[in-house]
Amino acid sequence: MEEVIVQPAQVLAPTTGRERTRRFRRNVWLYVMVLPGLLYFLIFKYAPMFGLIIAFQDFKPFKGIRGSEWVGLEHFRRLFTEPDFLNILTNTLILFGFNILFYFPIPIILALMLNELRLNAFKRLFQTLIYLPHFMSWVIIVSISYVMLTMDGGIVNAVLESLGFEKINFLLSPEWFRPTYIIQVIWREAGWGTIIYLAAMAAIDPQLYEAARMDGAGRLHQIWHITLPAIRSVIIVLLILKIGDVLELGFEHVYLLLNSMNRDVAEIIDTYVYTAGLKQGKFSYSTAIGLFKSVVGLIMVVAANKLSKKFGSEGIY
């Protein structure tokens, strides 16, 4: 038998300062391109975290952070003992559940439908039409819904009345607040949410579909056995990120739908922060609520990521 001689591994010399300078000059424009995004996160994401300290103070603007009295967990105790806290938290979780159950699958279904279109002109037209609502503000979306749903000349109630049904007060009825909310979310965001899924589908090897067709697989079988498994990791990552927003439903949309008649089912944590915190000048209390939301979101992301890894998926880290 021939003797196999194993050569010792080559030890890499440490990078010198001159080499680092040369590497930096070679990639200087890449660093310049990254700089705006880095500055954005430093200025608007990390620097404001210093202000979280006022959640543990009785913050007075004229005294500043250093001069305000330290109260510890007093604002958190107030939040958890608030008579309306349980109802507000329940409303927030229910709307989040509506988002996961009804909204989250819609972009996936739309992306699958768009991916099956073979006429490029029609595909681009349909994509443009479903993307457009994303560029309209919630004020416009809610205003259009108001015109359509109002009892005084609204097209929806006009159709119901013409069919022999009674008019429905969609805007003031507590029973219709949540369906109205989720329909508006789907209308505005579903088309925009298809972009990432379509990008993931574009990376699938076409030879897989050709092999499946040769084996007699139809369109539905190709979607089930090729497309969905190929974008599974993308779906899981977006689901984990969505779970991280469990208490972050957005203030503007719900606030525009909120009124005295549906407040019992429409008041969520974001609107409560505005009405009970910022509107009354209780900055420490509103900051404590925001910190509570962030901690819950972090815990949910970490738990969902560990759960996805336990079932064999990659997760987000």
Side-chain angles (χ1 to χ4, degrees), residues 87-147:
N87 181 55
I88 294 170
L89 181 62
T90 301
N91 293 337
T92 305
L93 294 177
I94 290 176
L95 290 183
F96 171 75
F98 272 54
N99 274 277
I100 293 295
L101 186 62
F102 297 108
Y103 163 71
F104 187 79
I106 298 298
I108 302 173
I109 296 172
L110 283 175
L112 292 172
M113 294 171 63
L114 287 170
N115 192 55
E116 292 299 315
L117 294 178
R118 295 295 176 259
L119 190 60
N120 288 330
F122 182 75
K123 183 177 181 179
R124 287 194 295 268
L125 175 63
F126 190 67
Q127 282 181 294
T128 303
L129 291 176
I130 64 176
Y131 289 170
L132 281 178
H134 173 78
F135 298 99
M136 295 188 291
S137 68
W138 281 118
V139 175
I140 297 176
I141 296 293
V142 174
S143 298
I144 294 174
S145 301
Y146 176 83
V147 173

Side-chain angles (χ1 to χ4, degrees), residues 165-185:
F165 297 99
E166 294 183 0
K167 291 184 178 182
I168 300 176
N169 196 342
F170 294 100
L171 302 174
L172 298 180
S173 175
E175 293 80 10
W176 282 98
F177 167 77
R178 288 163 183 162
T180 302
Y181 166 85
I182 198 61
I183 289 172
Q184 291 175 352
V185 171

Side-chain angles (χ1 to χ4, degrees), residues 215-242:
D215 291 338
R219 289 283 184 88
L220 292 178
H221 285 86
Q222 293 176 37
I223 292 174
W224 185 258
H225 294 287
I226 298 176
T227 309
L228 286 177
I231 65 172
R232 176 188 173 190
S233 59
V234 176
I235 295 174
I236 291 175
V237 168
L238 293 180
L239 179 60
I240 292 173
L241 295 177
K242 188 70 176 177

Side-chain angles (χ1 to χ4, degrees), residues 20-72:
R20 283 196 292 265
T21 303
R22 190 184 303 115
R23 188 180 303 171
F24 175 79
R25 289 178 178 176
R26 186 171 61 248
N27 300 316
V28 63
W29 291 111
L30 293 177
Y31 293 118
V32 171
M33 185 175 63
V34 171
L35 186 60
L38 183 62
L39 289 176
Y40 168 79
F41 279 97
L42 288 176
I43 296 173
F44 296 103
K45 299 297 182 180
Y46 287 96
M49 291 180 69
F50 174 74
L52 291 176
I53 195 173
I54 70 174
F56 307 94
Q57 296 178 327
D58 184 15
F59 178 71
K60 303 296 182 183
F62 57 88
K63 291 184 178 180
I65 294 179
R66 294 184 178 181
S68 298
E69 181 184 357
W70 187 269
V71 296

Side-chain angles (χ1 to χ4, degrees), residues 245-310:
D245 292 334
V246 58
L247 301 181
E248 191 71 38
L249 298 176
F251 163 77
E252 184 180 4
H253 183 198
V254 178
Y255 186 75
L256 291 170
L257 294 173
L258 186 66
N259 54 63
S260 58
M261 300 298 294
N262 61 17
R263 184 172 295 275
D264 288 340
V265 298
E267 186 84 271
I268 62 172
I269 292 179
D270 289 319
T271 57
Y272 179 71
V273 168
Y274 175 73
T275 55
L278 298 178
K279 203 172 181 180
Q280 300 176 12
K282 300 175 181 178
F283 301 108
S284 294
Y285 185 51
S286 58
T287 303
I289 300 174
L291 181 57
F292 165 71
K293 287 170 48 182
S294 300
V295 171
V296 171
L298 176 63
I299 293 173
M300 293 296 292
V301 166
V302 173
N305 189 73
K306 287 187 176 181
L307 190 62
S308 67
K309 286 187 174 182
K310 185 176 181 180

